[in-house]
Amino acid sequence: MSELVPGGNTPLPDGALTVRVPGPFDVSALITDDGGRVRGDGDFVFYNQPSAPGARLHGDTLTVDPQRLRPGATRVTVVVSPAEPGTPLIRLPAPTLHAAAPGGRPLARFTPPRPGQETVLLLAEIYRRGGSWKLRALGQGYADGLAGLARDFGVDVLDEPQVRPRSATREAPGGRASAPTPASPPTPPPSRPTAPAAPRAGTWPESSTPPLPPARSHSPDPDGFLGLVNSARAAAGSEPVALDARLTSAARAHAAAMASAGRLGVEGGDGLSLYQRVTAAGYTYLTVGEHLVSGPRTPAEFVQYCLSEEQPGRTLRDPAFLHAGLAYVGDGRSGDVYWTALWARPLTPGDLARTAAEVVARTNRERAGAGLPPLATDPVLATAAQAHSADMVARAFYSHTSPEGSQPWDRAAAAGARRRSVGENIACGQRSPAEVVDGWMNSPGHRANILKPEFTHIGIGLAGGGPAGMYWTQLFGA
C-alpha cells in the first residue's frame, strides 16, 4: 500500500476504485474534463445527489469506475467538508483518505497536512493520463468554502455580496514591490434571487453552500482580468493565456496564507510554498511564475502595477506561459489585501524531453569550450535523474542522499545502469536550462563534474512543485 504525500500519485488497476474518508466529514466529488470545469448539476456527487455515471456515494465511501464515467470525463476530484456546515477543518481530526482496489485490496492512504480555518478540502483526484488512470493526493484547502470551490469549477453560486475591509499600505519584504492599498475594494453586484427548488445545471445546491465569512477571499472578475492581461500580451507578441481552475485554487490558498501571516512571501504562514500549492491543486508544471503583491483595489490596478515594473511586466508578457490564476484575500485585522497571480505552462512529455535536451546541449557547449568531447544521452541515467528530481519534490528534501540513505550510484544501479563511475549535480529554484547550467558552471564542484574528462554519458531530470520550485538533476556516467 502506498503512503502518499501532497502531489504524489499512484497508478490504478482496472475496475472500480473505492475511496473512504471516515470521520465527521461530508464526502463529495466533481466530475470534469481536462479544462477542470463541470458540465452541469449531473457532474456533482454529494449527499443529496449520491450517484452519477461511473460514481456513487454511500455514507463516507465514494466508488468510482473510470470506464463508466460520462463521455469526456477525465478527472474526478474528491472533496471533503465538515458534516456540520461552517465548521473550520482545524477543529476536526485530519481527514484520511483510504483507497482500495477492486476486491477491497488496500491501494493507497493519504493524510494531508493539518488544515487551517478552511471549510473545504480538495483531498485527492482520480485522473486519466494517456490511456491509464491514476490517483493523486492533493490536500488543497479553500478559504472561501464551498462557494469558492464551486466558482472555480464553473458553478454559478448565488450569495449575498460581502463588503471587504479598507486597507493600508504595505511594503513587500525581500524586495518584492507593492502598490498603494485600497480605500474601498469593489463590492460584487447583488445576486439574482432564486427559489429554493431543485438545483439548476451549474449551480451548487444552496443547502450545501455555507454563507461566506466576511473579510475572506474572493476571486476578481476573471473576464476583466483576463482581457487586460491578454491585451498586454498581444501587444508584446505573446499568445493569450487561459484561466485555470487549479491555478486559481492555489492562488486563493496562498493569498489566504499570506493574509493569515500578515506578510508577503513565497512560503505562507502555514509552511507551504506557493509551488507546493500549485502541484497539490493538481497542476504539474514545466515552468511557473508568480506575482505576490499587496495594495491594488481592482484587477485593473493589479495589472497596471505589473506592467509598470520591469520584472513583473516581463513575467506577465512571458510567451512561455499558457495558463493563469488570480485571487486576493483581505486581512480582517489590518485591512490589507493580499494578491497572488500565477502564470504557468503545464508539463508535457514533449516539453520535458525538449527541456532535458537543452540542458544536455548547454552542458556539451561548456565541454566543447574546454576541448572535451560531448556527453551522450543515456536513457537509464535519465530515468534515475528524473526519479530523483520527482522524489525531492514529493518529499520536500534537497540532497544527493535520499531520506532512506541512497546515493547517486545506488539510484543509477537500481535503474539498471552499469557504469564504472557516477557523478551527480543537483539544483533547485532555477527556472530555465540556461539558469541552471550557468549556476552549475559558477560552482567549482558542479563545474568539475560537467568538465570531467572521464564522463561519457549523461541523464537529466527536472520536476516542479517542492518548496523551492523547480528541482534539477544531472547524472553523469563513465
Side-chain angles (χ1 to χ4, degrees), residues 98-386:
H98 301 264
R105 176 175 60 87
L107 185 65
R109 183 169 58 194
F110 171 56
T111 301
R114 182 76 176 175
Q117 295 297 323
E118 300 93 339
T119 56
V120 174
L121 189 71
L122 273 66
L123 192 56
E125 65 178 2
I126 301 157
Y127 67 102
R128 187 172 67 197
R129 177 62 56 84
S132 61
W133 288 81
K134 295 184 176 183
L135 173 70
R136 174 162 38 219
L138 298 179
Q140 179 65 59
Y142 267 73
D144 225 6
L146 285 172
L149 171 73
R151 288 190 188 97
D152 288 347
F153 278 83
V155 181
D156 181 19
V157 176
L158 305 179
D159 50 54
E160 293 301 317
Q162 301 294 322
V163 177
R164 289 177 295 279
R166 302 171 72 87
S167 300
T169 303
R170 175 173 296 280
E171 292 298 325
R176 292 193 181 277
S178 61
T181 50
S184 57
T187 299
S191 56
R192 293 181 288 108
T194 59
R200 53 193 179 84
T203 304
W204 191 276
E206 290 185 327
S207 62
S208 299
T209 307
L212 291 179
R216 297 299 295 269
S217 72
H218 179 73
S219 288
D221 170 20
D223 293 332
F225 168 69
L226 202 59
L228 293 166
V229 165
N230 284 334
S231 175
R233 289 176 65 85
S238 298
E239 294 294 320
V241 292
L243 287 176
D244 185 275
R246 295 161 294 180
L247 294 179
T248 300
S249 163
R252 185 190 305 278
H254 196 70
M258 291 194 300
S260 176
R263 58 178 173 80
L264 298 170
V266 171
E267 182 176 295
D270 57 3
L272 289 178
S273 79
L274 179 63
Y275 316 113
Q276 289 172 301
R277 299 186 206 281
V278 171
T279 51
Y283 192 104
T284 304
Y285 63 82
L286 175 71
T287 184
V288 68
E290 71 278 349
H291 290 127
L292 308 177
V293 179
S294 65
R297 302 182 192 87
T298 65
E301 288 189 4
F302 178 85
V303 173
Q304 181 181 18
Y305 155 73
C306 293
L307 294 175
S308 68
E309 301 288 336
E310 181 181 358
Q311 181 57 49
R314 188 159 56 245
T315 298
L316 186 147
R317 300 183 183 97
D318 193 330
F321 298 133
L322 301 179
H323 297 131
L326 176 71
Y328 68 79
V329 173
D331 179 358
R333 299 161 301 179
S334 68
D336 292 350
V337 178
Y338 291 83
W339 295 73
T340 298
L342 283 164
W343 317 87
R345 182 185 188 91
L347 180 65
T348 65
D351 278 338
L352 177 61
R354 283 188 290 273
T355 304
E358 185 177 347
V359 174
V360 173
R362 288 179 175 275
T363 299
N364 281 334
R365 281 201 289 272
E366 298 294 346
R367 288 177 63 88
L372 296 171
L375 301 172
T377 300
D378 182 335
V380 177
L381 292 178
T383 296
Q386 184 62 36

